[in-house]
Amino acid sequence: NLLGRTEKVIKALSHPKIAGRHDLIDKDRRAKFLLYSKLFGSERGFTEGSDKIISELNLASYDISDIPKENCVILLKSGCGTGKTKGFIKRYVEQGGYESGLYVSVIKSTIEPAAKDIGFSYYLAGGEEPHDKKHWMQSQPFVATTDKSLSYLLRGGMYKPFDVVFIDESERVALEAINHTSRQDVLRDICRAAKSVVFLDADITEDLTGWYAEEIAKDSSKELRRLVNTKDWMGEGHSVFFLKREIDAYKQIENLVRESKKVYVHCSFSEGNERKRIRRFIRYLEKRFPDKKFEGYDAQSVPDELRKNSKRYIDRAIKEGLSVLMVSPWANIGWDYNGEEEFDATV
């Protein structure tokens, strides 16, 4: 904070006609490094690296052939819905010709659909008992797991290094370092032994993911690359409004329904108490608009198809007249939903 939040300035200046061939992120990082060193006489873990700014709504259309596939640590900062999973990870694995890979994230409910999209084995697919989990995870060349279950890979002395490691939602993974159940020591060892390590997040910061990646790059003598995507869906004609009270959100949803808008609602509470807030609001909407369709779920009530194949479920529901879909909190990171239909608003 002392050195300033420069992300928006960089984004404004990153147009090719302005920036030309200059790497603005690298220049910004070097300037902050010099200022910090001058102020505090400390190098703050500064590491040389190669930075590149891109502008892609869908990473599937971006040519990744010049991105290194061996002896490297890659930081990919790209907004929600820009295809970090299918658009980047899947193609990176294919182009790298890897024979094994590890995908690590924090939230269990988001790992399963991600694993399906990139062709990795979900770590609980062989069973949730410790013995079953260990056998399954150690027998799969490509596996997707939480940070807390990494130790199963090492049990019994059967561990073999992975060719490539992907750390998704990397800011959350780095924050888990303060949680004693997160196997950060195991993750670091796995990353050091891999040919390539890729950190992915919409909100990568130098203080968390940047520091984490620099430490791994230093320890294993890997090349550090930063890839920053300045384009996302929020810049494509979306308007953002902040509401001060929960009741204002409910009123806004009702107004949107009245205007025949399709609304996705994300809430932070579940049905695990006597208030049943999701069901109560869905019933209220059904009474107010008996000719429209509304659905609301938490982690206990969510249909398997919605959790595992949101594209198919939501496309069908909207075609059948869905006006509001309200979910909590199992979808607290979100989905890569790129279906045929679309919502008009998110609350």
Side-chain angles (χ1 to χ4, degrees):
N1 289 335
L2 180 63
L3 301 182
R5 295 288 186 181
T6 54
E7 292 88 349
K8 290 185 178 180
V9 175
I10 294 173
K11 187 173 181 179
L13 295 175
S14 63
H15 191 284
K17 291 183 178 178
I18 299 175
R21 296 182 179 180
H22 295 291
D23 286 326
L24 296 181
I25 292 177
D26 184 58
K27 290 182 180 296
D28 174 70
R29 200 162 52 84
R30 289 171 185 273
K32 286 181 178 177
F33 162 66
L34 291 172
L35 286 169
Y36 197 96
S37 299
K38 191 73 174 176
L39 289 168
F40 303 108
S42 166
E43 293 193 0
R44 193 177 168 270
F46 179 82
T47 300
E48 293 291 339
S50 176
D51 304 318
K52 189 169 186 178
I53 298 175
I54 64 173
S55 185
E56 299 285 346
L57 266 182
N58 187 353
L59 289 172
S61 61
Y62 178 68
D63 182 7
I64 63 172
S65 60
D66 64 337
I67 298 176
K69 309 297 190 301
E70 291 190 14
N71 196 36
C72 59
V73 176
I74 311 292
L75 277 76
L76 173 59
K77 181 175 182 177
S78 190
C80 296
T82 53
K84 292 189 294 296
T85 306
K86 286 183 288 186
F88 185 88
I89 293 179
K90 194 171 183 179
R91 291 192 302 136
Y92 190 83
V93 171
E94 291 170 353
Q95 291 190 21
Y98 303 117
E99 296 182 358
S100 63
L102 177 68
Y103 173 94
V104 180
S105 194
V106 176
I107 306 299
K108 183 166 65 174
S109 60
T110 63
I111 294 174
E112 188 173 7
K116 183 178 179 181
D117 287 339
I118 61 179
F120 281 40
S121 299
Y122 180 54
Y123 78 116
L124 295 180
E128 298 195 19
E129 292 298 321
H131 178 269
D132 296 330
K133 197 190 303 188
K134 171 195 150 189
H135 174 74
W136 175 255
M137 291 177 68
Q138 292 185 356
S139 66
Q140 304 304 305
F142 293 88
V143 63
T145 181
T146 64
D147 56 317
K148 294 180 177 62
S149 291
L150 288 169
S151 60
Y152 287 96
L153 293 168
L154 278 62
R155 295 183 182 181
M158 300 295 291
Y159 173 71
K160 294 181 181 179
F162 290 96
D163 287 345
V164 61
V165 177
F166 297 98
I167 303 177
D168 203 0
E169 304 292 343
S170 60
E171 288 287 294
R172 293 176 65 100
V173 174
L175 280 171
E176 283 294 299
I178 62 174
N179 188 336
H180 72 279
T181 62
S182 178
R183 298 311 307 267
Q184 297 284 327
D185 54 336
V186 176
L187 181 57
R188 286 185 178 228
D189 288 341
I190 290 173
C191 289
R192 291 187 187 103
K195 295 178 181 178
S196 175
V197 181
V198 182
F199 293 84
L200 308 97
D201 204 313
D203 303 303
I204 282 179
T205 65
E206 282 290 318
D207 292 331
L208 271 177
T209 299
W211 164 79
Y212 205 127
E214 287 178 357
E215 290 294 307
I216 291 172
K218 283 180 182 178
D219 292 347
S220 53
S221 299
K222 290 182 172 67
E223 177 188 4
L224 182 64
R225 290 282 190 99
R226 295 173 179 82
L227 188 63
V228 179
N229 188 7
T230 61
K231 201 164 189 178
D232 61 39
W233 290 102
M234 292 309 297
E236 298 300 300
H238 287 69
S239 298
V240 180
F241 302 93
F242 292 93
L243 306 175
K244 293 183 178 180
R245 300 177 302 164
E246 184 177 333
I247 188 64
D248 295 330
Y250 293 132
K251 290 177 179 177
Q252 184 61 42
I253 295 166
E254 186 175 348
N255 290 337
L256 289 166
V257 172
R258 190 175 290 108
E259 296 171 6
S260 297
K261 304 291 187 182
K262 298 182 290 292
V263 187
Y264 168 73
V265 181
H266 178 118
C267 56
S268 61
F269 46 82
S270 68
E271 294 284 72
N273 57 59
E274 69 282 356
R275 295 183 66 187
K276 307 294 182 188
R277 292 158 75 183
I278 297 175
R279 254 178 278 178
R280 285 169 57 198
F281 184 58
I282 293 299
R283 284 200 300 268
Y284 169 80
L285 290 174
E286 288 173 340
K287 290 180 180 178
R288 293 282 293 167
F289 308 97
D291 58 328
K292 297 182 183 294
K293 182 179 178 181
F294 307 96
E295 296 185 22
Y297 307 106
D298 69 356
Q300 300 302 316
S301 61
V302 58
D304 282 343
E305 186 183 6
L306 175 56
R307 185 167 54 87
K308 296 178 180 179
N309 194 334
S310 60
K311 177 181 181 298
R312 182 170 63 193
Y313 186 98
I314 293 174
D315 278 351
R316 184 178 65 243
I318 290 178
K319 287 176 182 177
E320 293 174 354
L322 180 68
S323 290
V324 171
L325 174 62
M326 185 173 186
V327 300
S328 164
W330 55 274
N332 63 346
I333 289 180
W335 312 307
D336 182 15
Y337 170 65
N338 292 305
E340 297 175 6
E341 306 296 326
E342 62 182 33
F343 291 99
D344 298 303
T346 299
V347 178

